[in-house]
Each structure stands twice: as C-alpha cells, then as structure tokens.
Amino acid sequence: MAHVLDADQLKTFVAIADTGSFTRAAEIVFKTQSAVSMQMKRLEERVGRPLFGRDGRHAKLTEDGERLLDYARRIVRLNLECVASFTEADLKGRIRLGVPDDYADRYLPEILARFARSNPRTEVTVVCEPTPMLADRIGSGDIDLAIITHVEGRGQGEIIRIEPLLWVTSARHCVHEEDPLPLALGRPTCNWRQAAVEALESKGRRFRVLYASWNSTAVGAAVVAGLAVSVLPESAVRPGMRILGPAEGFSTLPSCKIGLLRTRHDPSILSNPLAEHIIQSLDNLQSFKVAAE
C-alpha cells in the first residue's frame, strides 16, 4: 500500500460497512451520496483493491474490504482519541445521553467514569427509555446521543457492539422444563421478544408470556426468582442466572446489535468526545461469563 490512508475516507467506509448502504452512510457522515461514492472510489484507488461488491440494494464488502475494516475502525478511533486529548480539557457544558435500562447498569459506570475523568466540568443528563422512544427523542433533538438496540432496515446509526442474544433461566430452579414454558419478556414490539417467540414457534414448543415489561430489572427479577425464562444479551447476564442452549432444547438466537444514534439538531460540542468514550468503553467491556471465570 503505497499511499497514506485518509481518515475521513475511512470513517465513511466504516459507516457504509455498518449500515450496508451508501445512502444511509451519507446521512451519518453528513455528506451527499455522490460525495460518499467519490470518497470510496478514491479509497479503492489508494489501496489498489475493490472494497465493495453488490448484494441486491446493499453494499457488501469484498474479502479485501473485510480485511480493511478492522484497520479502519482502529485508525478512526485512534484519530478521534488523539484530537479529543487536545480539546477535551477545555470543554464544559451539558450533554444529554439516552440509554435503555437493559444497558444502563452494565454500560454506564464505565462510560461515565471515563468521560468524567476527561471532562470534569461537564454535566451529563441520562434518560433511560426503550429504544423506540430514544430514537424519537434523537429525531426531535431532545437528546444528543443514544445507545440503542440496532434493528436491521431502520438505518439506526452506527453499530458499536455485537453480542449473542441468550436464553436465561434461574441458576437454582428448573422452570425451563415446564410445559408450557413461562416467559418474562419485553413488550410485544420488542425485537428480543419477537426473536424468542419465533424460535419457540419454529420448534413447536408451547409457551406463555407470564411477565411483560420494558424494564429489564423487572424481567431479570422474574428470571432469578425462578418464575420464568427470558432472553438477554450476553453482557446483561448476571449472577443468579444460567444460560440455556441446545442441550436443554433452546436454539441459537440472532445476535444483538448495539448502535449509537446522534442528533442532527444543534448537537452539543460534547457529542463527539462522549461518543468516543462510549465506543471505547464498549470495546473494552467483558461479558459476565468471561469476568466470572
């Protein structure tokens, strides 16, 4: 590779890889679609390899594109970290962060601790609501950033973490053997709930939703108490829970993709520094299973 790679081109490249679309990536990086296409043409010229193939209407990475992606993510993040290290010391003000309570307990301590060390004069307002409500708040400019559950087809921001979605039951009870299977899940529009129901129906397993709540603490309490089985991302598994798999008759579920949304309505000057701390914190996060070993 004879030429130095352009960080802005790499940022656009990552956005395309995360969204699968030149159009959605253009919205994220605040460029026109033609500008995005030109950037990718120049990036391909720099690396001397084709980076994208076509899969219907989606932009699919070639093998060389997949190889570049890991380097691109690291270069973009290091670039942001470098810039932030020279600017954050003078930043002050207020920023509004949205996060579902499913993620708040696990993610916020690390994120807020990192951000506070670099920005001691800032105020962070945290709003805990389900993903659809946070997406609406981002759209209206009520909050600056939101950590959300990414849903394919909605074009919701950049994917910053992928975790397995797991079946969980109480570590001290055998409620998963009951027929019909009692479940503790989110509301009917919850994607995790829909994935669980589809998996059970495909196997012909009888079930009943015993508890339904947007609140993950309530769902987790029902699981730990041995009242019901649920589905959670790996990082949300906590002491008192046991993971179920094919050996117990529970099939593999789709991955949980965690995304980051940014408002376009007069964003706070603190948005990019906080976004970078969020990305770095989730990169460094270990699952409960690993941490318990």
Side-chain angles (χ1 to χ4, degrees), residues 19-275:
T19 62
S21 165
F22 277 55
T23 302
R24 292 202 295 270
E27 296 173 356
I28 291 171
V29 299
F30 303 104
K31 298 182 186 296
T32 64
Q33 187 172 346
S34 60
V36 166
S37 298
M38 181 58 69
Q39 277 194 312
M40 292 305 96
K41 180 181 178 182
R42 290 174 178 169
L43 183 59
E44 289 182 326
E45 290 172 352
R46 283 176 181 266
V47 300
R49 304 285 180 87
L51 301 175
F52 297 97
R54 277 293 175 185
D55 180 15
R57 299 176 61 184
H58 298 282
K60 183 177 181 181
L61 294 180
T62 62
E63 185 175 338
D64 289 313
E66 293 284 358
R67 185 153 58 101
L68 177 62
L69 182 59
D70 179 59
Y71 290 106
R73 291 190 192 281
R74 284 184 280 167
I75 291 170
V76 169
R77 289 171 189 173
L78 185 59
N79 182 63
L80 290 173
E81 183 180 344
C82 177
V83 172
S85 70
F86 289 98
T87 60
E88 286 181 351
D90 296 324
L91 292 179
K92 62 180 179 180
R94 174 173 172 262
I95 187 164
R96 302 156 299 175
L97 171 65
V99 57
D101 72 316
D102 307 81
Y103 303 143
D105 288 345
R106 183 61 170 143
Y107 299 157
L108 282 185
E110 172 72 11
I111 292 169
L112 296 181
R114 289 176 63 109
F115 188 66
R117 286 194 294 268
S118 300
N119 301 274
R121 295 190 295 167
T122 63
E123 174 190 340
V124 181
T125 299
V126 178
V127 176
C128 287
E129 290 182 349
T131 288
M133 298 178 186
L134 293 177
D136 289 342
R137 283 184 177 270
I138 283 286
S140 62
D142 289 341
I143 54 178
D144 300 291
L145 295 169
I147 302 170
I148 52 94
T149 300
H150 181 89
V151 179
E152 296 294 344
R154 291 185 187 172
Q156 289 190 328
E158 56 198 285
I159 298 172
I160 57 175
R161 184 176 174 87
I162 298 177
E163 296 185 7
L165 188 62
L166 303 170
W167 293 99
V168 292
T169 188
S170 168
R172 299 183 295 110
H173 302 84
C174 296
V175 65
H176 61 283
E177 297 178 355
E178 294 183 13
D179 183 30
L181 179 71
L183 297 174
L185 300 170
R187 299 290 181 86
T189 55
C190 172
N191 290 89
W192 300 347
R193 172 171 172 158
Q194 293 169 5
V197 168
E198 289 173 6
L200 293 172
E201 288 179 342
S202 69
K203 294 179 68 69
R205 177 78 183 268
R206 297 200 306 159
F207 64 89
R208 60 193 178 107
V209 178
L210 195 61
Y211 298 95
S213 175
W214 279 121
N215 187 281
S216 65
T217 301
V219 170
V223 172
V224 173
L227 301 176
V229 168
S230 189
V231 292
L232 294 173
E234 186 178 42
S235 66
V237 177
R238 68 192 205 198
M241 294 180 180
R242 179 160 66 92
I243 295 171
L244 301 169
E248 294 89 3
F250 291 84
S251 57
T252 302
L253 294 166
S255 295
C256 171
K257 296 180 180 179
I258 298 162
L260 181 65
L261 295 179
R262 308 174 191 237
T263 187
R264 299 180 187 175
H265 297 268
D266 192 23
S268 166
I269 192 174
L270 295 161
S271 291
N272 285 338
L274 179 55

